[in-house]
Amino acid sequence: MQSSARNHFSGVVQHIQAGVVTDEVQIQTDSGAQLVATITHGSAQTLGLKNGSQVIALIKAPSVIVVTDAQGMRFSARNQLQGKVTAIKTGSVNSDVQIESQGLQVVAIITNDSASTLGLAPGKQATALFKASHVVLAVPA
């Protein structure tokens, strides 16, 4: 599958909490990381999702927030992947930041000012945050 989303994570549906409008889908990635997606109930039905379904979670890089020094902080974003910065590519305005966490390579696009303020460099501890509503799910055809 090709997609413009930089983050693609294959996994298996572990649990679905069905709602009238939206469903919460818990996913265990192939590397063992846990992710949560919130999608419409209609989409969950159209995709035929059930426990054990194979899925691909897609997250666009600009939807990923990078946090450092977050000890004692709580965030409303359901997906919080703690790891280390593995690479940074600096552009004229934004930086492409890669964070390795639980066997996943998560890519975030943040401003150069933010990357500088956070002191991001390869090897630095960082957490990738993204909301469950920013996760798009796909299933094999």
Side-chain angles (χ1 to χ4, degrees), residues 115-126:
S116 177
T117 299
L118 293 171
L120 297 181
K124 177 154 182 140
Q125 294 288 324

Side-chain angles (χ1 to χ4, degrees), residues 66-71 81-86 88 97-102 115 118-128:
V66 177
V67 177
T68 60
D69 304 321
Q71 294 81 2
L81 300 171
Q82 297 177 348
K84 287 185 181 179
V85 174
T86 56
I88 298 177
V97 180
Q98 293 183 32
I99 298 170
E100 184 175 339
S101 174
Q102 303 175 53
L118 293 171
L120 297 181
K124 177 154 182 140
Q125 294 288 324
T127 301

Side-chain angles (χ1 to χ4, degrees), residues 117-138:
T117 299
L118 293 171
L120 297 181
K124 177 154 182 140
Q125 294 288 324
T127 301
L129 305 173
F130 50 94
K131 295 179 68 65
S133 59
H134 289 170
V135 179
V136 175
L137 296 181

Side-chain angles (χ1 to χ4, degrees), residues 16-25 37-45 132-133:
I16 300 173
Q17 178 67 44
V20 175
V21 177
T22 59
D23 290 359
E24 180 182 278
V25 182
T38 303
I39 63 172
T40 65
H41 182 71
S43 291
Q45 289 183 320
S133 59

Side-chain angles (χ1 to χ4, degrees), residues 25-137:
V25 182
Q26 296 178 5
I27 302 154
Q28 181 172 341
T29 67
D30 293 346
S31 69
Q34 300 291 320
L35 301 179
V36 178
T38 303
I39 63 172
T40 65
H41 182 71
S43 291
Q45 289 183 320
T46 299
L47 293 172
L49 296 183
K50 60 183 188 276
N51 290 349
S53 293
Q54 293 286 325
V55 294
I56 299 170
L58 302 121
I59 306 98
K60 292 182 65 72
S63 295
V64 178
I65 297 167
V66 177
V67 177
T68 60
D69 304 321
Q71 294 81 2
M73 299 293 292
R74 295 187 307 182
F75 300 96
S76 63
R78 295 288 304 278
N79 298 289
Q80 302 180 22
L81 300 171
Q82 297 177 348
K84 287 185 181 179
V85 174
T86 56
I88 298 177
K89 182 178 180 182
T90 304
S92 59
V93 176
N94 292 323
S95 292
D96 180 296
V97 180
Q98 293 183 32
I99 298 170
E100 184 175 339
S101 174
Q102 303 175 53
L104 302 177
Q105 284 290 332
V106 183
V107 179
I109 300 294
I110 64 173
T111 65
N112 292 339
D113 286 344
S114 291
S116 177
T117 299
L118 293 171
L120 297 181
K124 177 154 182 140
Q125 294 288 324
T127 301
L129 305 173
F130 50 94
K131 295 179 68 65
S133 59
H134 289 170
V135 179
V136 175
L137 296 181

